[in-house]
Amino acid sequence: MRKENRGFEILGYIVLGILTAACIIPFLLLISGSLTDEVAITANGYSFWPSVFGTEAYKYIIDHLPTFGRAALISISVTIIGTVIHTLLAASMAYPLSRTELPGRSVLSFLVIITILLNGGLVPTYLVYTQILGIKNTYLALLVPTLLLNGYNIILMRNFFSQSIPVSMIEAAKLDGASEWQIFVRTVFPISKPMLTTVALMAGMAYWNDWNNGLYYMTDANKMGLQNILNSIIKNAEFLSQNAGSVSGSMTIPVESLRMAVAVFAALPMIIAYLILQKYFIAGMTMGAVKE
């Protein structure tokens, strides 16, 4: 029996190692490509170790640092604010839906599921947000459309509350005189850290990686987020590279390595955020282990 368990454990480590390598290897290639000379990339392609080191891509980004820094600040602010509001709204709606005694619970759950399966389409959505709500070229355009509340996360949290929050705990809180709001804030929230952290991570990644809202609802470059500015930098670099002869005979734009460097800059903040939140995720799992 012990040998069987040992074999299963070894197999688990092997599978986990393969999956880990599948996640890490592309990122290593990304970093290597960003540090490779543009001429070497054109001649030899990408490799896991730079054939010729070059920092032209990062120098190009530093030359555009004021624009890059402003866009990064906008994206960071929108991501933090949007993640907090998204998580609170999702939890506030999911908890009542998890209570079987809620009147109209089935109807409300059905309406939430409908938002996951169906939508009005891009054109009606654009008209509502721009002509009725008037959020075009405002920071609300980066915050609200499609991201502020997500039906999938509501259902996810509802199921967690239904299956992981003991009914006896809620009843005990009621016997102690706690109101529904107090039960939600003081009892449910503290033992729901794993789910809250998971939803916050998903919402944060969606906000940070979003560029559709900036594409659809933003024409003012000074209010665009990081993803849209980075995309604009790459397009400008490609244009300058293609027209280098007419602009300057000696001009060399690191288009290929710039793509990699931009991806590194875009991914690094979320990697740092995940490493920070992972600690709270593990602690929340331990604190949320409740047995009846």
Side-chain angles (χ1 to χ4, degrees):
M1 187 66 180
R2 290 182 178 179
K3 290 183 179 180
E4 293 178 358
N5 291 338
R6 182 64 177 175
F8 182 78
E9 184 178 351
I10 293 174
L11 178 62
Y13 278 117
I14 292 174
V15 173
L16 183 61
I18 294 173
L19 294 176
T20 303
C23 295
I24 294 178
I25 289 176
F27 191 71
L28 294 178
L29 184 62
L30 190 70
I31 296 175
S32 174
S34 69
L35 293 172
T36 303
D37 183 75
E38 182 72 12
V39 177
I41 291 179
T42 304
N44 306 320
Y46 297 101
S47 61
F48 289 103
W49 186 259
S51 55
V52 179
F53 278 95
T55 58
E56 293 82 3
Y58 292 100
K59 290 178 181 177
Y60 190 90
I61 292 177
I62 291 174
D63 290 340
H64 295 78
L65 194 58
T67 301
F68 178 80
R70 182 185 64 249
L73 182 61
I74 292 174
S75 288
I76 290 172
S77 301
V78 169
T79 299
I80 293 175
I81 295 172
T83 299
V84 172
I85 296 177
H86 178 104
T87 305
L88 292 177
L89 287 178
S92 299
M93 188 168 186
Y95 175 66
L97 292 177
S98 69
R99 303 290 296 273
T100 56
E101 64 269 25
L102 176 70
R105 174 173 175 264
S106 300
V107 176
L108 293 174
S109 296
F110 175 76
L111 293 176
V112 172
I113 294 174
I114 282 295
T115 64
I116 303 175
L117 303 176
L118 304 173
N119 62 74
L122 178 59
V123 174
T125 301
Y126 177 83
L127 293 177
V128 168
Y129 282 121
T130 56
Q131 297 187 12
I132 298 178
L133 299 180
I135 66 172
K136 187 174 182 178
N137 280 328
T138 67
Y139 292 119
L140 287 176
L142 302 177
L143 189 68
V144 177
T146 70
L147 296 174
L148 195 62
L149 197 59
N150 182 280
Y152 173 79
N153 288 340
I154 294 174
I155 299 300
L156 195 67
M157 297 187 78
R158 183 202 66 179
N159 294 340
F160 175 84
F161 290 144
S162 299
Q163 299 172 9
S164 302
I165 306 298
V167 178
S168 59
M169 181 178 292
I170 297 176
E171 293 176 350
K174 285 184 177 181
L175 291 175
D176 290 337
S179 63
E180 291 291 347
W181 178 253
Q182 289 174 327
I183 294 173
F184 178 60
V185 174
R186 297 182 181 180
T187 303
V188 175
F189 246 64
I191 62 177
S192 301
K193 288 183 180 179
M195 180 52 60
L196 294 173
T197 305
T198 301
V199 170
L201 277 172
M202 291 191 295
M205 290 183 65
Y207 270 108
W208 182 259
N209 293 323
D210 175 67
W211 65 280
N212 285 327
N213 286 344
L215 178 66
Y216 298 152
Y217 305 110
M218 284 291 186
T219 56
D220 186 354
N222 293 325
K223 294 182 179 180
M224 288 184 178
L226 183 63
Q227 305 299 336
N228 297 98
I229 291 299
L230 292 178
N231 185 54
S232 176
I233 289 175
I234 292 177
K235 288 184 177 179
N236 291 339
E238 290 176 348
F239 175 80
L240 292 175
S241 179
Q242 293 170 1
N243 298 275
S246 59
V247 177
S248 173
S250 61
M251 177 178 288
T252 301
I253 306 298
V255 177
E256 298 300 328
S257 58
L258 182 61
R259 287 196 183 100
M260 296 297 194
V262 162
V264 171
F265 268 93
L268 193 59
M270 288 309 302
I271 293 175
I272 295 173
Y274 177 78
L275 293 175
I276 294 173
L277 290 176
Q278 185 184 34
K279 176 177 65 176
Y280 297 101
F281 179 80
I282 296 173
M285 290 182 65
T286 304
M287 294 177 63
V290 179
K291 294 182 180 179
E292 293 191 83

